[in-house]
Amino acid sequence: MQNVQKYISENKDRYVSELMEMLRIPSISADPKYNGDCKKTADFVAASLKKAGCKTVKVFPTPGHPVVYGEHIIDKSKPTVLVYGHYDVQPPDPLELWESPPFEPVIKKTKIHPQGAIFARGSCDDKGQFYMHVKAFEAMVATKELPCNVKFMIEGEEEIGSKHLGDFCEANKKMLACDVILISDTSIISNKTPSICVGLRGLSYLEVEVTGANRDLHSGVYGGAVANPLQVLSEMIASMKDKNGKITIPGFYDDVEIVSKTERAAMNKAPFSLTAYQKDLGIRDTRGEKGYTVIEQTSIRPTLEVNGMWGGYIGEGAKTVLPSKAFAKISMRLVPNQKSDKMTKLFTKHFQSIAPKSVTVKVRPHHGGEAAVTPTNTPEYKAAAMAMKATFGKEAIPVRSGGSIPIVALFEKVLKVKTVLMGFGLDSDVIHSPNEHYGLFNYYKGIETIPHFFANYAALRK
Ligand code: BES
Ligand code: MN
Ligand code: MN
């Protein structure tokens, strides 16, 4: 272990400059304009794996963005770890809120990151985090201290729902066979309080369209008589949550996993200050489901959120118009046992049923994914917990997260393999938002911790 750690510390600066090179490529999976850049990033990842010493590397085309696959088998009798990550990133909008351009990475110090943090889209989610694995792998290979077989699967469609990855896994089951999946794409509580993610929410993402009249109208000539789709849509959306923050879609809570009192008490022991939370977000109060703490509201409880809403005139100045159409993008975050497809159907049926006769509505499902919980009594969890203990000097706390990584449930279904979610980001790194960043402390800590995981896992699996 000493040699690996020495190698890492001797190559620290190069590790950062290589990551920054990858961060310059705008691999925005949602926007077809960037298809070429997604391919370029896939090639960059493949080249990095090769340079790191990975024996077999391949870029697999898919109907969408390519999957990068790497394989390094040292000994068939040793356990195999499959590292998953994603090289695609969220669109950087709104651009004007970035202090430096999203694809021109810079290192700046912040209060939380006194050692400096890399500011760029994807720095934390997930380029910076999966690249830690490439670099830890490089160090283990270079020092001949790699104790397991390693497979890498780095995809380019996570941020758009991993549309083609299910088929890819089905078609390549044999190639992907492994003992455990290791992912760094989640957060820790703080740089002083390590944690391991043990749960992810599922997701159903839809777009709705409400149409009133067959064309835009003069809001004076027709206003007062004809339904305004923006008004109707607002009312429909507003009616979907009651005053206690409960979602009113019939059947919405039917399948929700009931978490025991003991488990709820345990999760609420994680360090959390409501005052600090509110202060950080610039809010005077939260507005979640009554009867649950913020920790619970954002992990074991489902929710429905409007992600965007538009229609009518939103340009400069005023234009008097009664719009023909209104739109919204809506997501439901789901918890174990709630099936994404079923929830999409429930939403659609309800949305159609509450639409007044004065409008017509359309619902378009985007993507979905199932929730996942990972057990803590497995060799892989222990290997991760021991690894973090070694590098942070503190016991890691198991925490369920509110975000989604749909592939985790799919891996379990298709490959029948469990995942460990050993991420190193901070919630304050503002992934998906302007000025996303990733602490150098976190980047290095991840690279240092990963070889411990491999060593522990190999030992525990013996
Ligand atoms: N890495 C995130 C998920 C995440 C973030 C999990 C923080 C835990 C803590 C991932 O890239 C992501 O953003 N997933 C999407 C889902 C996807 C289907 C668009 C999400 O959660 O919105
Ligand atoms: Mn991610
Ligand atoms: Mn993301």
Side-chain angles (χ1 to χ4, degrees):
M1 193 53 69
Q2 260 170 14
N3 288 341
V4 180
Q5 300 299 343
K6 183 163 167 267
Y7 181 95
I8 292 169
S9 75
E10 283 168 359
N11 289 279
K12 270 187 159 174
D13 294 339
R14 177 173 57 83
Y15 279 8
V16 170
S17 55
E18 285 178 20
L19 170 60
M20 285 170 84
E21 209 182 316
M22 177 169 53
L23 290 170
R24 288 198 182 90
I25 323 174
S27 45
I28 307 164
S29 51
D31 186 343
K33 269 210 307 281
Y34 296 91
N35 285 356
D37 288 302
C38 288
K39 174 75 175 65
K40 236 167 109 179
T41 312
D43 291 338
F44 182 100
V45 175
S48 308
L49 282 171
K50 263 192 210 125
K51 261 190 275 170
C54 190
K55 280 185 212 149
T56 320
V57 181
K58 240 178 119 174
V59 177
F60 283 90
T62 74
H65 303 300
V67 175
V68 185
Y69 178 73
E71 195 176 283
H72 194 83
I73 308 296
I74 48 162
D75 177 348
K76 286 235 165 76
S77 68
K78 298 245 159 85
T80 301
V81 178
L82 188 146
V83 173
Y84 163 86
H86 63 93
Y87 65 77
D88 65 321
V89 302
Q90 288 273 334
D93 315 64
L95 279 174
E96 65 280 11
L97 295 185
W98 282 80
E99 278 168 23
S100 55
F103 297 104
E104 293 171 28
V106 288
I107 296 174
K108 281 189 290 187
K109 291 188 170 137
T110 73
K111 238 192 180 156
I112 292 179
H113 295 294
Q115 272 188 43
I118 310 174
F119 282 74
R121 171 57 88 231
S123 55
C124 176
D125 183 13
D126 178 44
K127 285 174 172 171
Q129 293 216 57
F130 86 72
Y131 208 63
M132 299 182 313
H133 288 272
V134 181
K135 294 298 99 180
F137 171 78
E138 175 192 313
M140 289 186 282
V141 172
T143 54
K144 303 198 167 45
E145 287 191 28
L146 181 69
C148 302
N149 303 312
V150 191
K151 294 177 176 179
F152 289 92
M153 181 166 93
I154 313 295
E155 70 147 324
E157 298 192 301
E158 196 276 342
E159 300 291 9
I160 49 172
S162 301
K163 259 181 253 167
H164 303 101
L165 208 60
D167 288 346
F168 181 83
C169 291
E170 280 287 356
N172 296 287
K173 265 190 203 165
K174 251 206 184 136
M175 177 178 88
L176 300 171
C178 59
D179 297 288
V180 66
I181 291 149
L182 178 60
I183 304 180
S184 295
D185 193 23
T186 51
S187 35
I188 49 175
I189 294 175
S190 77
N191 284 352
K192 294 212 168 69
T193 315
S195 58
I196 297 173
C197 178
V198 291
L200 293 162
R201 286 198 281 191
L203 182 71
S204 160
Y205 200 109
L206 325 106
E207 193 167 317
V208 296
E209 179 183 321
V210 175
T211 308
N214 57 9
R215 59 185 186 275
D216 281 3
L217 302 170
H218 188 288
S219 65
V221 177
Y222 292 92
V226 176
N228 183 320
L230 278 163
Q231 168 98 30
V232 173
L233 176 57
S234 311
E235 287 169 8
M236 289 170 74
I237 288 172
S239 78
M240 282 195 269
K241 263 186 201 173
D242 72 11
K243 62 178 195 315
N244 294 322
K246 283 253 187 296
I247 287 124
T248 59
I249 299 174
F252 187 84
Y253 294 98
D254 282 3
D255 302 329
V256 167
E257 172 203 43
I258 311 287
V259 178
S260 72
K261 281 223 170 82
T262 349
E263 204 180 326
R264 284 177 67 184
M267 61 178 64
N268 284 300
K269 283 216 182 89
F272 178 81
S273 151
L274 184 59
T275 326
Y277 185 77
Q278 290 176 173
K279 193 173 162 228
D280 172 50
L281 299 176
I283 53 178
R284 283 173 297 151
D285 201 0
T286 54
R287 198 169 190 261
E289 186 184 2
K290 268 216 180 111
Y292 295 92
T293 64
V294 167
I295 288 183
E296 292 166 347
Q297 287 163 351
T298 55
S299 62
I300 56 162
R301 297 300 294 169
T303 182
L304 181 148
E305 303 299 329
V306 184
N307 296 254
M309 207 168 154
W310 69 100
Y313 184 67
I314 51 165
E316 283 293 311
K319 173 191 174 187
T320 50
V321 61
L322 199 170
S324 161
K325 283 179 189 293
F327 303 86
K329 291 186 194 276
I330 294 173
S331 66
M332 292 179 279
R333 293 284 169 173
L334 311 172
V335 297
N337 300 341
Q338 284 185 304
K339 291 275 163 282
S340 167
D341 275 354
K342 177 173 170 191
M343 300 311 290
T344 303
K345 284 198 189 105
L346 283 182
F347 176 95
T348 308
K349 194 171 154 218
H350 179 66
F351 196 75
Q352 281 160 348
S353 79
I354 60 172
K357 238 169 95 184
S358 48
V359 300
T360 53
V361 302
K362 271 191 201 146
V363 180
R364 268 178 234 116
H366 269 278
H367 51 64
E370 311 305 336
V373 277
T374 61
T376 54
N377 58 352
T378 58
E380 54 267 25
Y381 185 87
K382 280 179 201 136
M386 283 162 62
M388 282 193 150
K389 177 86 195 280
T391 54
F392 283 87
K394 261 195 193 168
E395 215 63 63
I397 300 173
V399 171
R400 283 210 211 181
S401 165
S404 309
I405 309 178
I407 196 62
V408 173
L410 261 171
F411 278 144
E412 213 180 314
K413 196 173 123 200
V414 179
L415 303 178
K416 313 267 184 280
V417 179
K418 283 276 183 191
T419 295
V420 196
L421 295 157
M422 190 173 72
F424 292 88
L426 297 181
D427 286 343
S428 58
D429 290 344
V430 293
I431 62 171
H432 294 204
S433 302
N435 305 308
E436 172 179 354
H437 53 280
Y438 191 38
L440 291 178
F441 171 90
N442 304 71
Y443 183 56
Y444 293 137
K445 193 61 98 184
I447 299 173
E448 289 158 15
T449 307
I450 290 162
H452 284 277
F453 172 87
F454 276 83
N456 297 340
Y457 186 65
L460 286 166
R461 287 283 311 219
K462 260 205 192 120

